[in-house]
Amino acid sequence: MDKTVNHKAWFLVLPVLVLVAFSAVIPLMTVVNYAFQDTFGNNVFFWNGLGWFEDLLHSERMWNALGRQLAFSAIIIAIEIPLGIFVALNMPKRGVWASLVLVLMSLPLLIPWNVVGTIWQIFGRVDIGLLGYTLDAVGIDYNYTQNPIHAWVTVIVMDVWHWTSLVALLAYAGLQSIPDAYYQAAKIDQASRWKVFRYIELPKMAGVLMIAVLLRFMDSFMIYTEPFVVTGGGPGNATTFLSIDLVKMALGQFDLGPAAAFSLMYFLVILLISWVFYTVMTNLDKRGG
Amino acid sequence: MSWMAWTTPTALFFVIIAGLLIAFTILAVRFPETPRRGVLGIETTRGDRLFITLLGSAFINLAWLGMMGAALQPWALLICLIYAAAVFRWV
């Protein structure tokens, strides 16, 4: 059957366009305008051309924050995706236990970011926190407020704790959609556990795993609240990720021009990576993956 | 509108982007096309190629600014034009 062509139907999209214009397009345009100017307040602006962009491209501070951000996203994806798959593979497939495990797995996802940050901020403290106190008691000199490596480990473990269940739930949904016939065929062929995983489960999970990687990447790339509450970006600048640095610049120092230029570059990187993921995902769909 | 801090160059930038979007929408309505597969191995329509061109141009401009400095910036636009032609021809 031919698809009906009705261009007038586009007018029905108008309310959404207006909403997006107010919530995204107009603010983004304002950010572009700010990025080329300097202001000292009172809505008075001075033209600065490409100055802020040039400064930022040569700023060690921004490159370091970007490096830390990429390292953080890469580490948490490298841990959360395999761990999520492992958890999903071991979750009960049906019955009361399946429902119970699903509820338990969803719990960390329901906790607001700032509460997660506060939980780990206290949990890791050497004086009153269970984790910090225990580590200290067994002789490990753990202190996330002074040691950059400890701060990184804490922030990463916190993210893994908070978000691995999202990956597990997505992978679980992918696994549940595999018909039993595939497993029966594998059994007849006497396929090993690894081969069942490699040739049946993994290809069938590819689509949802791609979504999981995309979600985790985007979320970790703009992470702000959790590390801000736990470490405040410290010790020194050790856990100052892009968004923490951006907020420091925009609201701490009130440097609107450089912060706007920073935001635009941040936005471009996110746009590029989202496009790559989106393209890979839609191509996977077309190949029937 | 003063809070949006408009300037002539930034307004011109948005007018050009909006113009491109309108032109490509009219093109898509008047001359519908089927997606094609180019050097990237992905299916693209004219709109996709415009997006790839604009996003790539932003990075070309930033890279040029970082390496050559602001004084030579107009030359980056020339590279963008060549890049755009290449994208529309081969991607």
Side-chain angles (χ1 to χ4, degrees):
Chain A
M1 202 179 88
D2 280 341
K3 217 164 110 184
T4 318
V5 178
N6 181 359
H7 291 306
K8 282 187 195 126
W10 283 104
F11 284 106
L12 297 175
V13 187
L14 223 59
V16 177
L17 278 181
V18 173
L19 212 66
V20 172
F22 272 95
S23 65
V25 180
I26 293 175
L28 190 65
M29 282 172 144
T30 313
V31 170
V32 172
N33 290 341
Y34 278 17
F36 296 92
Q37 300 177 80
D38 197 5
T39 180
F40 301 102
N42 289 332
N43 244 354
V44 180
F45 292 90
F46 304 93
W47 178 252
N48 189 33
L50 295 166
W52 298 131
F53 289 93
E54 209 173 2
D55 286 354
L56 279 169
L57 285 169
H58 295 114
S59 133
E60 211 173 305
R61 171 180 166 177
M62 195 205 69
W63 287 111
N64 287 342
L66 179 66
R68 282 190 290 267
Q69 185 68 72
L70 288 171
F72 177 74
S73 293
I75 292 171
I76 62 113
I77 287 174
I79 297 173
E80 286 172 19
I81 299 293
L83 188 61
I85 295 172
F86 178 76
V87 172
L89 286 173
N90 290 292
M91 277 164 71
K93 297 282 178 284
R94 43 187 78 84
V96 185
W97 283 108
S99 313
L100 190 71
V101 170
L102 279 176
V103 172
L104 284 176
M105 293 296 292
S106 320
L107 277 181
L109 304 175
L110 300 174
I111 304 174
W113 285 259
N114 53 347
V115 178
V116 172
T118 312
I119 290 172
W120 281 83
Q121 202 255 356
I122 294 171
F123 190 47
R125 275 175 63 166
V126 183
D127 51 351
I128 55 167
L130 186 62
L131 175 73
Y133 189 84
T134 312
L135 286 175
D136 202 46
V138 295
I140 298 169
D141 187 20
Y142 166 83
N143 191 335
Y144 70 83
T145 58
Q146 281 169 14
N147 186 318
I149 294 171
H150 295 173
W152 265 81
V153 170
T154 310
V155 172
I156 286 167
V157 172
M158 172 176 66
D159 199 84
V160 169
W161 176 83
H162 195 184
W163 291 112
T164 301
S165 41
L166 175 77
V167 182
L169 290 176
L170 283 169
Y172 185 72
L175 283 174
Q176 292 290 70
S177 70
I178 303 173
D180 275 343
Y182 283 79
Y183 292 109
Q184 287 158 3
K187 217 169 207 172
I188 291 167
D189 289 343
Q190 292 184 323
S192 63
R193 182 71 194 86
W194 164 251
K195 285 203 163 150
V196 170
F197 174 70
R198 172 69 188 80
Y199 294 104
I200 296 175
E201 291 169 334
L202 199 57
K204 284 283 168 193
M205 280 194 292
V208 282
L209 285 181
M210 208 59 211
I211 296 172
V213 173
L214 176 65
L215 285 175
R216 283 317 302 134
F217 178 80
M218 299 312 299
D219 229 19
S220 64
F221 206 73
M222 60 179 200
I223 192 165
Y224 175 77
T225 316
E226 293 154 308
F228 181 75
V229 173
V230 177
T231 63
N237 276 332
T239 52
T240 300
F241 301 120
L242 280 177
S243 58
I244 295 181
D245 209 14
L246 182 57
V247 172
K248 267 186 195 169
M249 201 185 272
L251 302 177
Q253 302 157 219
F254 218 69
D255 281 335
L256 293 185
F262 193 154
S263 308
L264 284 182
M265 291 200 261
Y266 197 171
F267 174 67
L268 283 175
V269 174
I270 289 183
L271 204 57
L272 174 71
I273 295 166
S274 307
W275 178 78
V276 170
F277 274 115
Y278 174 77
T279 311
V280 172
M281 250 160 63
T282 44
N283 275 281
L284 265 180
D285 282 347
K286 275 175 197 156
R287 279 186 305 170
Chain B
M1 291 291 271
S2 67
W3 62 273
M4 280 184 81
W6 280 106
T7 63
T8 316
T10 50
L12 203 65
F13 169 76
F14 282 114
V15 167
I16 292 171
I17 300 276
L20 278 171
L21 289 179
I22 292 168
F24 273 75
T25 309
I26 294 170
L27 269 179
V29 174
R30 282 280 173 85
F31 310 102
E33 50 151 4
T34 44
R36 70 157 195 235
R37 208 173 274 268
V39 284
L40 289 182
I42 52 168
E43 279 190 356
T44 55
T45 59
R46 269 190 296 253
D48 293 327
R49 291 193 283 278
L50 177 68
F51 178 77
I52 296 169
T53 303
L54 290 177
L55 188 58
S57 300
F59 280 100
I60 290 173
N61 271 293
L62 281 176
W64 185 273
L65 181 65
M67 287 186 286
M68 303 290 180
L72 295 169
Q73 197 62 23
W75 290 102
L77 290 177
L78 191 69
I79 298 179
C80 289
L81 274 178
I82 298 168
Y83 169 70
V87 168
F88 276 91
R89 175 69 188 81
W90 287 298
V91 172

